[in-house]
Amino acid sequence: MSLIAFILGLLVYIVFKVGIRGFYTVRPDERAVKTSFGRAERMPGASEQTHPSVQDEADLYSYPALRVIPPGGPYLKMPWQKVHKVPIATQALDIVWDPTKQQSTIEAVTKDNLTTGVNGQIRYRASEENLYPYLFGVESPLEHVMGYFISVLRERIANFSDPKGAPLVGGDAGTPSAVELSEGVSINDLRKNLPMINEYMEQQCNSTIGRYGIELDAALITEIDPPPEVDQALSAINSTRNQVAADISTARADAEQQITMSERAVEIARNNAEAEVAPLRELATILSKIKTTGGRDALKAYMRNLRVPLYARADRVIRVED
């Protein structure tokens, strides 16, 4: 009797584990990896490989290629097998997320030793081509990625100075302009270059694919705010700087206008002088030609004829004998 009960119980267990719990499906936004006795199924013939993003650290981040179960089903698994499902859809997460503590902002110290608060989001997704580090590389890959992101962000803020249009990675320093409204104030530089900082963070976090199997889709740093008491002082400094910059710009515009007017006045005077000299030069040329072709007598005759209209208009003539 006991043997029959054992066999019936075993049959019920097999039916439950294999017939009912043994089937599973994979949603379109998921990928799955199956393990047998804790060992993940690997691609036959594939050896360990290193993701291109961490080629310099191949000794640390070489992972085997897994057999990834695509969306669909139902699939069958044995009782000794376990299915690990991974969502691959892009997800958003606040950068203040930390499973170990509650916080409303990320504190960072700027280049001029000012503590500021940073807020924003990151968009990420699990890499379908690199699921091994995501599932088995570290216990909490997202926590590692967030810690890595915050570390890079704090380092960037602590050393940030306005690149003046040059890229933060692989570029030369930009040409400084004559007047910068926010020159020397790190928070102003950070706020002014938020898109560039986001791009820098995306570039620096490309290696998270090879390290943790997570691809950073976008970094969206939206707020960099100092403490309230510092913000008031900073507003006063900015107002003063803006006023000084506006005065300098006005003075520079006036000076440029004066220079332009002076240059035009000189040009007008030069044209008037040339207009007065031109008839005299033309007359000298004519007299030279007359003397050359007709001789001295022709020149005297020409001068005599030239005086006739003048005599008609003159009231008195004074003649000086040579």
Side-chain angles (χ1 to χ4, degrees):
M1 184 64 182
S2 59
L3 180 59
I4 296 175
F6 173 76
I7 294 174
L8 290 176
L10 182 60
L11 291 175
V12 171
Y13 174 79
I14 292 174
V15 170
F16 177 76
K17 291 292 290 186
V18 178
I20 300 177
R21 298 289 301 275
F23 292 96
Y24 66 95
T25 58
V26 179
R27 297 205 311 257
D29 60 342
E30 289 181 336
R31 299 295 183 270
V33 173
K34 191 163 55 178
T35 57
S36 300
F37 298 109
R39 188 177 190 276
E41 293 185 355
R42 309 183 181 194
M43 295 292 292
S47 58
E48 290 189 352
Q49 57 183 358
T50 303
H51 196 273
S53 63
V54 288
Q55 286 292 346
D56 297 337
E57 301 169 310
D59 296 338
L60 297 176
Y61 301 106
S62 294
Y63 298 113
L66 301 182
R67 191 177 76 84
V68 179
I69 301 173
Y75 299 105
L76 177 65
K77 72 177 182 66
M78 295 294 107
W80 57 86
Q81 293 180 325
K82 185 178 179 180
V83 176
H84 303 266
K85 297 181 180 179
V86 178
I88 61 168
T90 301
Q91 304 178 59
L93 182 67
D94 290 337
I95 63 172
V96 297
W97 176 81
D98 191 336
T100 62
K101 61 182 178 182
Q102 293 289 332
Q103 56 185 355
S104 60
T105 186
I106 296 295
E107 291 187 351
V109 180
T110 62
K111 190 176 183 179
D112 44 9
N113 295 322
L114 182 64
T115 300
T116 184
V118 183
N119 280 294
Q121 284 186 334
I122 62 170
R123 287 205 301 260
Y124 70 96
R125 62 186 178 90
S127 175
E128 183 179 354
E129 295 78 18
N130 210 26
L131 286 180
Y132 190 95
Y134 183 84
L135 290 172
F136 312 111
V138 293
E139 184 174 354
S140 179
L142 185 57
E143 191 174 345
H144 280 263
V145 169
M146 188 59 72
Y148 179 75
F149 181 87
I150 297 301
S151 298
V152 174
L153 179 62
R154 282 176 170 157
E155 185 275 338
R156 183 68 275 178
I157 290 176
N159 297 284
F160 187 85
S161 58
D162 190 0
K164 304 183 188 308
L168 293 179
V169 179
D172 299 331
T175 303
S177 58
V179 178
E180 287 291 343
L181 301 182
S182 58
E183 186 177 7
V185 182
S186 294
I187 287 204
N188 288 335
D189 294 341
L190 290 166
R191 286 171 169 170
K192 189 171 62 178
N193 294 282
L194 271 180
M196 191 177 296
I197 294 174
N198 286 328
E199 183 181 0
Y200 173 83
M201 294 302 300
E202 293 173 12
Q203 293 175 350
Q204 292 298 305
C205 292
N206 281 338
S207 61
T208 57
I209 304 175
R211 291 179 176 176
Y212 310 112
I214 291 181
E215 180 179 357
L216 184 66
D217 184 61
L220 303 171
I221 306 299
T222 55
E223 296 180 10
I224 297 180
D225 295 324
E229 60 275 12
V230 177
D231 198 18
Q232 294 178 0
L234 187 62
S235 298
I237 293 174
N238 289 337
S239 298
T240 304
R241 287 179 178 270
N242 291 341
Q243 184 60 45
V244 171
D247 294 342
I248 293 175
S249 298
T250 302
R252 178 172 298 167
D254 292 341
E256 291 178 352
Q257 184 177 7
Q258 292 295 328
I259 292 173
T260 302
M261 292 176 64
S262 300
E263 291 175 350
R264 290 184 178 178
V266 170
E267 184 177 358
I268 292 173
R270 183 185 296 111
N271 292 336
N272 289 336
E274 290 179 355
E276 292 180 358
V277 171
L280 299 177
R281 289 179 176 174
E282 186 65 22
L283 179 60
T285 302
I286 294 173
L287 295 177
S288 298
K289 289 181 179 179
I290 293 174
K291 185 178 179 181
T292 302
T293 56
R296 191 177 182 86
D297 295 337
L299 180 61
K300 288 183 177 180
Y302 177 78
M303 294 298 295
R304 186 179 59 253
N305 294 333
L306 193 64
R307 292 192 187 102
V308 172
L310 297 177
Y311 289 154
R313 290 185 292 175
D315 295 332
R316 187 172 57 181
V317 177
I318 300 175
R319 183 174 181 180
V320 179
E321 295 292 342
D322 297 333

